[in-house]
Amino acid sequence: MKKGLIAKHYAKALLAYAIKQEVEETVYNNTVNLMHNFAEHPKLLTFMSSSILSATEKEKILTTATGENICSEFIRFIELIIKNDREEFIPDMCTAYQQLYRKAKGILSIEITSAVEINDDTKKRIITKLAASTGLKIEAQTKVDRELIGGYTI
């Protein structure tokens, strides 16, 4: 099975389970936290794929990397991934879950890139205008690109 397909199957199952348990937003936040730690610590995924670690050690590492507000449903998901030897797909599963969640909740994720740091008021005005024109909730990240001459891109 291809990497993307495996990730999407697990993500769909996780979303369905999270909705049934009414914890889909908490699971979404858990995936965001875990992905943040994968980005901050690139060797974490390599470490998780190691056969030296026991399943219990891998579970402990992933639950710790997810953060303090991890829900029991996400812990069960981590246990399932490890049991099925799918650790290498975790980032793709989290990304797929986030995409499915946003689609289900009518959320548009954007990145605002500007030449200089934008203040909170400007960010809020951009989000408000986009929300009004799209009819979607907006989830925005900001980024500075000094090579831009001025203004911003979305």
Side-chain angles (χ1 to χ4, degrees):
M1 215 181 228
K2 292 188 178 185
K3 185 177 181 180
L5 195 55
I6 291 170
K8 198 162 196 172
H9 282 302
Y10 275 83
K12 281 182 182 179
L14 178 59
L15 182 60
Y17 178 63
I19 289 170
K20 184 177 178 183
Q21 300 299 317
E22 299 179 353
V23 293
E24 62 271 25
E25 184 176 359
T26 304
V27 171
Y28 175 79
N29 292 330
N30 290 165
T31 65
V32 169
N33 292 340
L34 185 55
M35 288 300 292
H36 174 75
N37 276 309
F38 276 122
E40 290 288 314
H41 309 283
K43 294 193 180 211
L44 181 59
L45 185 59
T46 305
F47 194 59
M48 291 307 306
S49 299
S50 170
S51 60
I52 296 172
L53 295 174
S54 70
T56 304
E57 291 169 320
K58 289 179 181 184
E59 288 169 17
K60 190 175 238 181
I61 290 167
L62 287 173
T63 55
T64 301
T66 302
E68 294 178 8
N69 297 322
I70 188 169
C71 64
S72 60
E73 292 80 5
F74 197 66
I75 292 171
R76 288 186 70 198
F77 180 69
I78 288 171
E79 290 168 351
L80 177 69
I81 291 168
I82 293 168
K83 178 183 171 194
N84 293 341
D85 197 28
R86 300 290 195 196
E87 299 92 346
E88 68 183 277
F89 302 110
I90 293 172
D92 297 307
M93 291 174 191
C94 289
T95 300
Y97 179 89
Q98 291 167 14
Q99 292 169 344
L100 292 169
Y101 174 84
R102 287 185 198 119
K103 185 175 181 181
K105 298 295 182 179
I107 299 171
L108 177 62
S109 180
I110 63 165
E111 181 177 80
I112 305 168
T113 305
S114 58
V116 294
E117 190 72 36
I118 62 171
N119 61 36
D120 287 340
D121 185 51
T122 302
K123 182 179 175 180
K124 286 178 187 173
R125 285 187 308 188
I126 292 169
I127 290 170
T128 302
K129 287 185 183 229
L130 281 173
S133 67
T134 64
L136 300 171
K137 297 175 196 168
I138 305 298
E139 185 178 88
Q141 300 294 321
T142 58
K143 178 177 146 186
V144 174
D145 181 356
R146 304 268 182 230
E147 294 193 21
L148 286 177
I149 295 171
Y152 60 88
T153 60
I154 298 176

